[in-house]
Amino acid sequence: MVHIFERINDGVARSFVGRWFKLEGSGVPGERTGSRFLTEIRAGLTTWASMAYIISVNASILSDSGGPCVCPEGADCTGTNNDVYMMCVNEVRQNLITSTAAISALSSFFMGLLANLPVGLAPGLGLNAYVSSYLWHMTTQRHSSYGERWVFMFLSIIGLRQWLVRIMPQSLVLAVGAGIGLFIAYVPPPNGLGVLGGDKVNLIGLGGCLEENFYDGLENFCERGVLRNPRMWIGIFLGGVLTVLMMMYRVRGAILIGIFIVSKVVTFQKLDKVGNALDYGSYRKGRVWYALITFLYVDILDTTGTLYSMAKFAGLRNPVSLDFENSSIAYCVDAFCISMGALMGTSPVTAYVESATGISEGGKTGLTAMTTGFAFFISVFFAPIFASIPSWATGGALVIVGSLMIRNVLEINWHYIGDAVPAFLTLVIIPLSYNIAYGVIAGVISYVILNGIPLAVRKMTNDRVLPANYELSEEWIIPEGSIIPYWIRKLMGRTSPNEGIMPDEKNQTNSQTASDLDKTASLEKEPARVREGSS
């Protein structure tokens, strides 16, 4: 059986598919070490299983506000008091289940096919709460998301999104990755294991109680009976402990197995309530532009930071230019899918940190994301079934992956307080605010203040007044490489032959070339040795 798998992996690697995705054994420059076809498929299914909760959660959050449903004048539409209104809301929810699965399939598939990155995309979980609370009226959300697409596309084409991440201090970059690890490990209820819940006094306390033990009107706030929910313990021991033990013994697909151990009819729901309802006259309204700017700054930090961190976690970041392969294409795919999501009535699409579960399973190429997209496509027709994967089935996997990502803190410069404090703020605020963008903002602002003031004092005193341990500070450098993206330099004829190859891949190519030359030289000397021996 093992030999059959190896033959499949080797056959795909030598095919056009293997060369396009740079699988190990494809023979193309820059092939990705350790990338095997069946491993990529397994990693994609793992990512999908970790992301599948968004199908039901996104629909539930967005439909809670009523969406396009209008409450009859003078009627009480709170709770389930109005049957007509509730029928409309339920129809909106079914529409959103379909649209969420569809846009997740489309965006993840194109991210893998065009950008060759193992990153899954879906409607953003933080932004859908903003949409539900402030923007819904559907047209406001759609137009702000659709308009954001053009701004994002322009920034991606000219290379500005890539440059914003590349010039960030390395301690902050590492802190973002570690903060994402804490973020996915600490997923507040109703997602995750539910070990932690709300607390009236301390805001956060122990959870894991049964629903009948919640405070009245406060979901996931335990009045009594904490840590007594059997589902939570199943998630901890089967989804967590058992998965770790399988990983310790190198069981392939351990995370995916752990998720499925703990875990009507085929139909397709038409998007008659939320689909394609654009009115370009809405751009004359200030509310739309306010929402567009809000989406823009959150997405540019959230999505850009997540894509960068996932690429680094997969080992795809160039250590010299601090960029990752096909970054311009990846950001353009993200921008395009934001507009497609707006047409389908969902919140803006973003890269998902749950992609780290697939990467930890060995995903290194776009085949992982394409598999995730295909699984979401199947979910369009079986949405109620796939949306039923419980959050406590994936909670253990997210904690495990978080523990793998937190190791970034080892590389942060803790020796100088001007680097340590901004990194710490980034690390802490990301999970506590439930928003990657807020953590990045806190880190960047604190870094500028804590390092800008000493720099000004240093310049004014001609280096006579320096902070303590200043010699241990991390030097901020502008990475090598041009701010002008590769495709523009290609048109201008200013690219080098090896520019698209990672430094270590160049060395690998050079070493292979040298090895081939040595073999050729030895073959040339072989006849001479034979002649000497015969004489």
Side-chain angles (χ1 to χ4, degrees), residues 391-414:
S391 59
W392 39 273
T394 59
L398 296 178
V399 171
I400 294 169
V401 174
S403 69
L404 298 177
M405 296 188 68
I406 194 66
R407 59 188 172 191
N408 277 355
V409 298
L410 296 174
E411 303 177 43
I412 294 175
N413 180 27
W414 298 109

Side-chain angles (χ1 to χ4, degrees), residues 310-376:
M310 293 300 103
K312 184 179 184 299
F313 187 52
L316 304 178
R317 188 186 72 162
N318 189 312
V320 177
S321 67
L322 303 182
D323 199 3
F324 59 89
E325 188 178 352
N326 297 328
S327 60
S328 295
I329 298 175
Y331 291 130
C332 287
V333 169
D334 170 58
F336 170 76
C337 291
I338 286 174
S339 64
M340 293 299 100
L343 293 176
M344 295 183 185
T346 67
S347 52
V349 171
T350 184
Y352 260 63
V353 293
E354 283 83 357
S355 303
T357 58
I359 294 172
S360 64
E361 276 292 313
K364 291 180 178 292
T365 73
L367 285 171
T368 296
M370 290 179 66
T371 303
T372 301
F374 183 75
F376 271 117

Side-chain angles (χ1 to χ4, degrees), residues 236-255 257-258 261 361 396-397 400 403:
I236 290 174
F237 283 102
L238 295 184
V241 175
L242 180 61
T243 301
V244 172
L245 290 173
M246 288 191 291
M247 293 175 67
M248 291 169 63
Y249 288 95
R250 298 184 182 276
V251 176
R252 293 185 177 182
I255 293 178
I257 293 172
I261 283 180
E361 276 292 313
I400 294 169
S403 69

Side-chain angles (χ1 to χ4, degrees), residues 282-322:
S282 295
Y283 285 110
R284 292 192 294 267
K285 300 176 182 179
R287 184 184 181 93
V288 172
W289 287 99
Y290 173 77
L292 189 152
I293 294 172
T294 302
F295 280 157
L296 188 64
Y297 93 85
V298 171
D299 263 359
I300 202 170
L301 295 174
D302 196 330
T303 306
T304 306
T306 302
L307 272 174
Y308 188 83
S309 296
M310 293 300 103
K312 184 179 184 299
F313 187 52
L316 304 178
R317 188 186 72 162
N318 189 312
V320 177
S321 67
L322 303 182

